[in-house]
Amino acid sequence: MAWAGFAYLVAAVCFIMALRGLSHPETARNGNKFGMAGMAIAVITTIAMPSVLSYEWIIAGILIGGAIGTVIAQRIVMTALPQLVAAFHSLVGLAAVFVAAAAFYNPEAYNIGSSGSIAVASLIEMSLGTAIGAITFTGSVVAFGKLQGIFGSKPLVFSGQHMLNAGLGILLLVLVIWFCATEAPWLFWAIVLLSFAIGLLLILPIGGADMPVVVSMLNSYSGWAACGIGFTLANTALIITGALVGASGAILSYIMCKGMNRSIFNVILGGFGGETATGGGGGDDDRPVKAGAAEDAAFMMKQSDSVIIVPGYGMAVAQAQHALREMADLLKAQGVEVRYAIHPVAGRMPGHMNVLLAEANVPYDEVFELEEINRDFSSTDVAFVIGANDVTNPAAKTDKTSPIYGMPILNVEDAGQVLFVKRSMSSGYAGVQNELFFRDNTTMLFGDAKKMCEDIVKALEAN
């Protein structure tokens, strides 16, 4: 089967090129094309193998899955992409459990032995793939629920949770060893159920502020689950693809944790130490704020030399990116320097804001990451914050009781004037009130982000 090995190698190269392309907005489209090409090659090669004797179920699965995927792709809105990604991760994990169960009950079909005498190496691969897949499934379901608003965004912390997680982890390891030694069916399902419970307990204690890291981490888990099952199926493409996804997801999680001043081990172990940061408060605040209108914002920005725009999830919800770009174009036409500042965890998933701005055809050379632009706020006349909250909160630098303490933020408060577009005075996703609202140089622009930008555009055109 030399031809299959060569085809899988080509697919692997395509996947590597896909990851490289997705590392930058300008090459992301080509990266997606490489990924689709690699997946098509891998799928066609797999179903063309002589070991595939019946195509009825394969065709039925392709048609059903393709139809569901088409409907989702047509109906999904940009703001729901993080939830969609979490849901997809859960399906990958559940698929790994199903494949492992099929291999366990019919090992002859997978050439890993016979019932009661499966090779030990295959049992190890099977049990690890099952455990990681089950943890990924329930963890991703919780992440989906938090992102969708079904569950609260606050961490669910209780006394002794770390000891419980550690105990369950040790018990899972014991069950895996016992299963590999005895091949008992009840142990297989005990591993599945225990892993389901661990997935819940690992993600529930993690708060909304860290949810982008969780999505990335679950992406890594889904890759390792696929890799483990790839060994069980002796499928080279699945092993390579799973390893690529697992490794890249782990690296991205580490980078995000570093950018948020979080410990990667805290996230992996289920918010270890998170119970110490419970302050910050997100309730009502009676302190006065300065409110303004679209005309005020238009005048201030038109009179300035430089404006930095800070987009956040509120912009995504309002679908305001096109109106925002029109506003920026008018300012640039009047000689104002306009740039965009992107926090690594703005939105609900990595790159969320970059995708939205690219959709509105914002030039890539105007978009800067936190470390590239943060020092420029002090020399900027106006910072225009549209829907961003936690990533601009000065409490992250001053309030040690805050859940977001230690997270690097955009130094918006250093700008000459801050225009903050928000529907209300409600707290951000982390449940923390933003101290920036009450600063002397902050003007709140209350209302829908899209309508506010459209009104500012009208005011700029009228003057």
Side-chain angles (χ1 to χ4, degrees):
M1 301 300 294
W3 66 269
F6 177 76
Y8 284 150
L9 178 60
V10 174
V13 172
C14 287
F15 293 141
I16 294 172
M17 295 300 295
L19 287 175
R20 181 179 180 182
L22 292 171
S23 65
H24 194 277
E26 291 186 14
T27 57
R29 289 184 182 272
N30 288 333
N32 277 323
K33 292 177 182 177
F34 274 115
M36 290 186 288
M39 185 57 66
I41 293 172
V43 170
I44 293 172
T45 301
T46 301
I47 63 178
M49 298 284 281
S51 56
V52 178
L53 304 177
S54 176
Y55 291 93
E56 290 82 0
W57 286 104
I58 295 175
I59 294 174
I62 291 174
L63 292 176
I64 295 173
I68 295 173
T70 300
V71 172
I72 292 175
Q74 291 177 338
R75 295 185 177 182
I76 196 71
V77 295
M78 191 65 67
T79 52
L81 278 181
Q83 295 94 302
L84 180 64
V85 171
F88 282 165
H89 291 163
S90 72
L91 296 179
V92 173
L94 191 60
V97 174
F98 285 152
V99 171
F104 177 64
Y105 282 99
N106 189 12
E108 294 86 356
Y110 298 89
N111 296 318
I112 58 175
S114 58
S115 296
S117 59
I118 299 176
V120 175
S122 296
L123 289 173
I124 295 174
E125 297 157 2
M126 185 188 304
S127 55
L128 290 177
T130 300
I132 298 173
I135 291 172
T136 302
F137 171 69
T138 50
S140 298
V141 169
V142 173
F144 170 84
K146 288 197 173 190
L147 291 167
Q148 189 67 18
I150 299 174
F151 308 138
S153 64
K154 293 184 177 180
L156 177 59
V157 179
F158 54 89
S159 178
Q161 74 175 61
H162 302 321
M163 294 300 297
L164 176 62
N165 288 349
L168 292 179
I170 295 172
L171 178 59
L172 179 60
L173 180 61
V174 171
L175 291 179
V176 168
I177 296 173
W178 193 0
F179 171 70
C180 294
T182 64
E183 203 177 317
W186 74 269
L187 285 171
F188 176 85
W189 293 110
I191 291 172
V192 172
L193 294 177
L194 182 59
S195 299
F196 280 157
I198 291 175
L200 292 173
L201 293 171
L202 286 179
I203 307 303
L204 282 173
I206 300 177
D210 294 326
M211 207 39 59
V213 182
V214 172
V215 173
S216 177
M217 180 187 67
L218 290 170
N219 176 56
S220 177
Y221 286 177
S222 68
W224 295 123
C227 183
I229 296 303
F231 280 104
T232 301
L233 301 180
N235 188 292
T236 307
L238 193 55
I239 295 171
I240 295 174
T241 305
L244 285 172
V245 173
S248 60
I251 293 171
L252 179 59
S253 299
Y254 173 77
I255 293 173
M256 294 180 66
C257 284
K258 186 177 180 181
M260 297 174 65
N261 197 28
R262 296 288 193 263
S263 168
I264 184 68
F265 295 105
N266 289 359
V267 179
I268 293 175
L269 297 176
F272 188 89
E275 74 275 13
T276 61
T278 57
D284 294 333
D285 200 310
D286 295 331
R287 287 179 289 174
V289 297
K290 182 168 57 177
E295 292 76 15
D296 303 320
F299 177 80
M300 291 172 63
M301 288 191 286
K302 186 177 180 180
Q303 299 300 316
S304 65
D305 292 324
S306 61
V307 172
I308 295 181
I309 298 173
V310 180
Y313 189 66
M315 181 192 75
V317 172
Q319 289 291 286
Q321 61 268 28
H322 296 282
L324 180 66
R325 192 214 66 204
E326 186 178 359
M327 181 193 82
D329 288 344
L330 286 173
L331 290 172
K332 288 188 291 184
Q334 298 180 25
V336 180
E337 181 188 18
V338 178
R339 290 172 293 171
Y340 298 80
I342 306 296
H343 193 281
V345 294
R348 294 293 185 268
M349 64 183 295
H352 200 178
M353 295 300 104
N354 300 77
V355 172
L356 289 171
L357 295 179
E359 182 188 20
N361 295 318
V362 172
Y364 296 124
D365 59 359
E366 295 178 3
V367 181
F368 297 88
E369 301 296 333
L370 177 145
E371 63 274 6
E372 298 174 312
I373 200 171
N374 225 12
R375 67 182 63 182
D376 294 344
F377 279 102
S378 59
S379 58
T380 298
D381 297 318
V382 176
F384 185 84
V385 185
I386 177 168
N389 201 329
D390 298 325
V391 299
T392 64
N393 194 340
K397 297 187 291 186
T398 59
D399 186 0
K400 293 184 178 181
T401 67
S402 173
I404 63 172
Y405 178 74
M407 181 180 80
I409 64 165
L410 291 163
N411 296 328
V412 173
E413 75 273 16
D414 293 340
Q417 293 292 327
V418 178
L419 300 174
F420 209 115
V421 182
K422 205 170 183 298
R423 288 181 179 272
S424 66
M425 289 290 293
S426 61
S427 59
Y429 194 65
V432 183
Q433 185 62 275
N434 194 339
E435 293 299 315
L436 185 62
F437 298 165
F438 310 100
R439 297 294 176 92
D440 293 336
N441 63 334
T442 299
T443 299
M444 301 297 297
L445 304 174
F446 293 112
D448 177 78
K450 182 179 180 180
K451 186 177 186 306
M452 181 61 66
C453 288
E454 291 173 343
D455 290 344
I456 293 174
V457 168
K458 294 177 182 177
L460 289 171
E461 291 176 335
N463 295 327

